[in-house]
Amino acid sequence: MSASPRPVTTHPRLPARRGGGAGTWWSKAVLRAVEEAAFSVADLRRGRTLARAGAVGSITVSEGGALAAVTDGQDAWTVEVTVPVLDDGDAAAFVELVAAESGRIGALLAGQLPHSLVEAVEEAGVELLPYGGELGSACTCDAWLDPCSHALAVLTQLAWLIQADPFVLTHLRGLSRDRVLRDLHALTSPRAPDPGSPGDQPALDDEVLDDLVVAEDAAVRAARLLGQERPFDAW
């Protein structure tokens, strides 16, 4: 039996923009990781310039990486970046921590990454926000070192995508939006008591279940709007 294909999400080309914007605390954390990954200030500045100029094409995000084309002058290069995915234990811990506090899944679907969630995730030993050494890359250009300026441009735009939608970050870590919702549903769904096990089953948290219902409805609405709106046009 063949394995199920990995979920992928393609984000449309971002328009040119002036400056990097104020950003959010989590997108700034990702941008710091990009800075740590760069081998030279010149490459980092060139990468930022390409990102702001809209030289990065559509970005396809999958579990553990992203793929995009970058136009530089008369040439176009293909860039692949990689981020380590969470193992099964860390992925399960992340979902449990999202479900542990009312409102967290709603915040994620609203484009927010609660600081309390990231703190709880880190205390559990789960790496969600990347650091520079975790960011791998490969480019079809002839640069000697990776990340080259083209890879840094893609990583910079990934930080901007994560700013608007933290599920881009979880997807890179191996947890797509659909998987998070599916695992939350499995975690919070009422289960029939097992006659063979002693004691009562833990009661279902009604607030978590209500949040999940709202979250699933929001996800459906967002999916309908994705093809109609481009939120980055206003940036």
Side-chain angles (χ1 to χ4, degrees):
M1 187 175 180
S2 61
S4 300
R6 295 189 306 169
V8 298
T9 303
T10 299
H11 301 269
R13 176 192 294 268
L14 301 184
R17 58 188 290 183
R18 293 184 179 179
T24 56
W25 73 267
W26 59 88
S27 66
K28 290 177 180 177
V30 177
L31 286 171
R32 280 196 297 272
V34 176
E35 292 173 0
E36 293 170 2
F39 283 98
S40 73
V41 173
D43 282 344
L44 181 61
R45 287 176 176 169
R46 180 58 181 163
R48 288 173 174 172
T49 297
L50 289 169
R52 291 168 181 163
V56 179
S58 59
I59 301 178
T60 298
V61 176
S62 61
E63 297 175 357
L67 185 69
V70 180
T71 302
D72 189 357
Q74 300 299 313
D75 298 312
W77 311 105
T78 300
V79 174
E80 181 177 8
V81 299
T82 58
V83 182
V85 299
L86 302 180
D87 62 29
D88 290 342
D90 285 350
F94 174 79
V95 174
E96 289 172 1
L97 288 168
V98 171
E101 186 173 304
S102 176
R104 282 178 174 173
I105 183 61
L108 287 172
L109 284 163
Q112 301 295 315
L113 185 59
H115 199 276
S116 62
L117 172 59
V118 175
E119 286 183 333
V121 166
E122 290 178 348
E123 289 174 1
V126 179
E127 294 285 353
L128 182 62
L129 291 169
Y131 55 88
E134 289 188 304
L135 302 178
S137 65
C139 180
T140 56
C141 75
D142 56 2
W144 288 7
L145 297 174
D146 285 321
C148 63
S149 59
H150 309 118
L152 291 168
V154 174
L155 288 167
T156 298
Q157 286 211 356
L158 273 174
W160 297 346
L161 290 174
I162 290 168
Q163 174 177 325
D165 183 4
F167 279 113
V168 175
L169 174 59
T170 65
H171 196 170
L172 288 168
R173 286 298 199 185
L175 286 165
S176 67
R177 177 192 299 255
D178 287 346
R179 179 179 170 184
V180 172
L181 292 175
R182 184 189 69 231
D183 289 356
L184 279 169
H185 186 273
L187 182 65
T188 58
S189 293
R191 296 177 182 176
D194 182 356
S197 61
D200 296 330
Q201 296 292 320
L204 177 67
D205 188 332
D206 289 336
E207 287 189 72
V208 172
L209 185 56
D210 288 343
D211 281 345
L212 186 56
V213 171
V214 172
E216 289 180 317
D217 180 65
V220 171
R221 293 172 183 270
R224 291 173 180 168
L225 292 173
L226 279 177
Q228 303 175 20
E229 298 182 358
R230 293 182 60 184
F232 290 98
D233 289 346
W235 289 16

